[in-house]
Amino acid sequence: MKKNIRRLVLVLLLLTTAIFLYLYFAHQEDGSEITLYGNVDVREVDIGFRVAGLVSSLCFEEGDRVAKGAKMAELQKSPYDSEVLLARARLKSLEVERDNAKVLWDRRKGLQPIGGVSQENLQDSESDFRQLEANCKAAAATLQIAEDNLSYTEAFAPVDGIILSRIREPGSVVQPSNPVYTLSVLSPIWIRAYINEPNLGRIAFGMEAQVYTDTKSGKVYKGKIGFISPVAEFTPKTVQTTDLRTDLVYRLRIYVEDPDHLLKQGMPVTVKLKAVE
């Protein structure tokens, strides 16, 4: 009986020692890991027109994925078509006048040596030609502006992205730069997080990070530190940390790989870093 009790005590002692050692080393391992809390940041682009006009069509709905270069919206073209036709006709007219002036100038240059035309008339014809030549250049520039304005009646996606907001509808009158869509850029995506000053010396540019969302059994996202602010600031109220909110912290930007495009703007995340000892 006593032998069994001794064995039981020995087993309990060994078990207690194993648990103690496990907790000790687990604590030591956790000490080399920095846990931060932050939010997903995604660049957004407001899509608009460079000219004013009446919106004739919008090609996408909210949530649609858009490829770079895809046409997203269009204005009514008729006013700008007319400007192009008018500028083109004006240029053609001036070119005819310039060519006639050149013929007259060349004819007078041939007559001047034999006294068939005065020096004053020769200079007048040259002046007329030079003036019309300058007018043609100005008309060509006006035509180019009109053609550019016509092309600006179409808006294209500057990058791959997802439509966050469809701000206008067909029939709306917009001014230059008024947004009609808000586009969420697919890449790059980063985490905005903050680290306190005592841990600042334990991180470095390019350090790998693991990013976790609040989704149960969610995947772990891989990332790297791409920016460390050189200026301290107070912890924003939107960031949940285990330290006092009045502590001074430094802002980090952790670029994340998101092949499935599951990270959304403002999503809270947890970031774990292997600290430099």
Side-chain angles (χ1 to χ4, degrees):
M1 181 68 178
K2 291 182 179 180
K3 185 179 295 185
N4 291 336
I5 293 175
R6 289 176 183 174
R7 289 178 179 175
L8 180 60
V9 171
L10 181 61
V11 170
L12 290 175
L13 182 61
L14 291 174
L15 182 61
T16 303
T17 303
I19 293 174
F20 173 78
L21 291 174
Y22 171 79
L23 292 176
Y24 174 79
F25 285 112
H27 176 74
Q28 291 296 103
E29 183 179 353
D30 291 342
S32 65
E33 187 175 72
I34 298 176
T35 301
L36 305 176
Y37 304 92
N39 299 87
V40 176
D41 261 353
V42 179
R43 284 194 176 105
E44 297 178 1
V45 180
D46 288 334
I47 307 298
F49 299 97
R50 296 176 62 176
V51 293
L54 178 73
V55 178
S56 63
S57 65
L58 294 169
C59 306
F60 296 97
E61 298 290 342
E62 293 181 353
D64 289 347
R65 184 168 296 180
V66 181
K68 179 179 179 180
K71 186 168 77 170
M72 300 184 64
E74 187 174 349
L75 294 178
Q76 190 178 62
K77 293 180 178 293
S78 55
Y80 298 98
D81 283 333
S82 299
E83 289 181 3
V84 170
L85 293 175
L86 182 62
R88 193 170 291 158
R90 174 62 176 166
L91 176 59
K92 185 64 177 178
S93 175
L94 288 172
E95 286 176 341
V96 171
E97 292 183 23
R98 179 201 60 190
D99 293 342
N100 291 335
K102 182 65 166 59
V103 171
L104 179 60
W105 181 33
D106 290 340
R107 183 183 302 127
R108 288 182 176 179
K109 281 193 295 185
L111 295 174
Q112 200 272 339
I114 61 175
V117 66
S118 67
Q119 183 66 29
E120 181 180 359
N121 287 338
L122 178 63
Q123 291 175 346
D124 288 343
S125 60
E126 180 182 4
S127 177
D128 290 341
F129 169 74
R130 300 296 185 194
Q131 180 64 52
L132 288 168
E133 189 175 42
N135 291 344
C136 285
K137 292 180 179 179
T142 301
L143 174 59
Q144 184 62 57
I145 292 173
E147 290 175 341
D148 288 343
N149 288 338
L150 178 60
S151 69
Y152 296 153
T153 59
E154 296 180 342
F156 298 89
V159 293
D160 295 337
I162 297 174
I163 302 295
L164 285 184
S165 302
R166 176 167 160 156
I167 303 170
R168 303 280 183 169
E169 292 298 326
S172 303
V173 176
V174 295
Q175 297 299 318
S177 77
N178 285 162
V180 294
Y181 283 113
T182 299
L183 185 67
S184 174
V185 179
L186 290 181
S187 180
I189 292 178
W190 65 81
I191 306 302
R192 184 183 68 255
Y194 297 83
I195 189 168
N196 57 15
E197 190 274 334
N199 284 322
L200 185 62
R202 304 173 66 196
I203 64 172
F205 290 103
M207 178 180 287
E208 294 185 356
Q210 292 182 321
V211 179
Y212 302 82
T213 66
D214 292 339
T215 304
K216 291 183 179 180
S217 302
K219 64 178 293 185
V220 179
Y221 297 88
K222 296 181 179 180
K224 290 185 178 181
I225 296 178
F227 171 77
I228 303 174
S229 175
V231 180
E233 55 189 286
F234 287 104
T235 309
K237 292 182 180 180
T238 56
V239 177
Q240 301 296 325
T241 68
T242 55
D243 298 325
L244 294 176
R245 295 190 183 280
T246 55
D247 285 350
L248 287 175
V249 293
Y250 293 80
R251 180 166 54 91
L252 304 181
R253 179 175 290 176
I254 301 157
Y255 290 93
V256 185
E257 298 176 7
D258 181 24
D260 301 327
H261 308 298
L262 297 178
L263 297 177
K264 308 301 181 184
Q265 173 70 33
M267 180 184 290
V269 295
T270 301
V271 179
K272 293 187 177 182
L273 303 168
K274 284 294 182 180
V276 176
E277 299 297 339

